[in-house]
Structure formats: structure tokens, C-alpha cells
Amino acid sequence: DEEKSRGGIALTKVQKNYWVDMVLLIAGLICVISGYLLDFHIGARAYTKLYKDIHSYSAYVMTAALLLHFYYHWSWLKEVSKRELLSKQ
């Protein structure tokens, strides 16, 4: 591979999907947990700003990973959507 010859790391399609899914899972869990901490006022008030920052940045990471996930699966998503929408008619 050209990328490997330049010293880069070439990931397989399965590896890319795995890491994107792991980032989605971890960022999603962090977002949910921080959301509960904020919503139910768990913890000291001194941590509210920290919880909000964690919540916001985990949502940004999750959004970026979700967009990457859609990018990686766009062809599949189009084909399945077309098949499902046309089969219902």
C-alpha cells in the first residue's frame, strides 16, 4: 500500500467501522451520563460547568463520528432504502 510505504497506518474497512462504532458508543455513553448528572442535579454545584462542557464536547464527538459512520455506509444505506421504499409500494 502507498499509505503503508509512507509510514502511515492503513486500516481495513472492518477496522474503520469498529473504531467509528467504538467512538460512537463511548461518546454516546458519556453524553447520556453527563446529561443525567445535569438533569437530576447529581454532584456538587461546582461541577455543573464541567458536566456541561463534557456533555457538549461528547455530543460534538458523537456527531462527527455519526457523520463519518454515514459516510462509510452511504452506498449501503442508499441501496437498502431504495429497496425498502420500493418494496412497500
Side-chain angles (χ1 to χ4, degrees), residues 43-57:
R45 290 180 137 212
Y47 293 118
T48 301
K49 169 112 174 66
L50 176 65
Y51 293 160
K52 284 181 181 179
D53 288 344
I54 290 171
H55 188 71
S56 294
Y57 287 110

Side-chain angles (χ1 to χ4, degrees), residues 14-27:
V14 171
Q15 289 170 321
K16 286 178 188 176
N17 288 331
Y18 173 80
W19 287 111
V20 168
D21 289 350
M22 285 298 103
V23 169
L24 269 171
L25 175 66
I26 293 166

Side-chain angles (χ1 to χ4, degrees), residues 10-77:
L11 298 176
T12 66
K13 185 176 181 180
V14 171
Q15 289 170 321
K16 286 178 188 176
N17 288 331
Y18 173 80
W19 287 111
V20 168
D21 289 350
M22 285 298 103
V23 169
L24 269 171
L25 175 66
I26 293 166
L29 287 173
I30 291 170
C31 197
V32 167
I33 292 167
S34 61
Y36 281 130
L37 293 172
L38 288 166
D39 196 39
F40 295 113
H41 308 285
I42 299 170
R45 290 180 137 212
Y47 293 118
T48 301
K49 169 112 174 66
L50 176 65
Y51 293 160
K52 284 181 181 179
D53 288 344
I54 290 171
H55 188 71
S56 294
Y57 287 110
S58 65
Y60 299 149
V61 170
M62 189 171 51
T63 301
L66 184 63
L67 291 172
L68 195 56
H69 182 83
F70 280 131
Y71 174 76
Y72 285 158
H73 294 87
W74 188 250
S75 296
W76 176 84
L77 191 60

Side-chain angles (χ1 to χ4, degrees), residues 75-86:
S75 296
W76 176 84
L77 191 60
K78 282 190 332 189
E79 290 302 314
V80 171
S81 296
K82 192 183 319 177
R83 186 173 60 231
E84 288 298 312
L85 292 173
L86 293 176

